[in-house]
Amino acid sequence: MRRGVWWRKSAGQSVWMLGMGVVAAGLWAGWLGGTESGPYEVWQVAGLVLSLLVVVCWAAFRRRVVAAVAGTTAGLTVAAWCDWSDDSTGLFVVGVALVLHGSLFATALVSTLVRYVAPGPR
């Protein structure tokens, strides 16, 4: 590897991760934001999952598996924390932990499958 090239690769990966996090948090706000009371509707959660599926698959197809997993997980976790942190019981932390673990598992599974099944750019 040439001298000085390593930082471009790591900077590009960081930009991808940040972008995936912003997209994930934005999708959370778009699909689940604005609910004043009560649980989320099924169509809201399904819309979020399907939207994220498209974005994660696209990033994995572009060989950005780490960014797809880490960025999406971080974005969803931060969005859940911000959305639920006004809970006075403190139980929102359990929900945030479930979002973190669930999104980490799901994005890792989907990204890995897409990356090794679909012929992406080399």
Side-chain angles (χ1 to χ4, degrees), residues 74-86:
L76 290 177
T77 304
V78 168
W81 183 279
C82 292
D83 197 13
W84 299 338
S85 63
D86 60 349

Side-chain angles (χ1 to χ4, degrees), residues 11-115:
Q13 186 76 349
S14 298
V15 169
W16 270 88
M17 268 193 248
L18 181 62
M20 291 297 292
V22 168
V23 167
L27 287 172
W28 177 286
W31 284 105
L32 304 181
T35 303
E36 297 297 323
S37 64
Y40 299 116
E41 297 290 331
V42 173
W43 64 267
Q44 290 176 295
V45 177
L48 174 63
V49 168
L50 292 174
S51 299
L52 285 170
L53 185 64
V54 170
V55 174
V56 168
C57 287
W58 175 76
F61 183 76
R62 303 283 305 152
R63 299 188 71 165
R64 303 297 184 178
V65 173
V66 173
V69 174
T72 303
T73 300
L76 290 177
T77 304
V78 168
W81 183 279
C82 292
D83 197 13
W84 299 338
S85 63
D86 60 349
D87 176 34
S88 61
T89 66
L91 288 175
F92 77 93
V93 176
V94 174
V96 171
L98 290 172
V99 167
L100 184 145
H101 289 94
S103 61
L104 180 65
F105 174 76
T107 56
L109 179 66
V110 168
S111 296
T112 303
L113 286 174
V114 167
R115 181 62 201 109

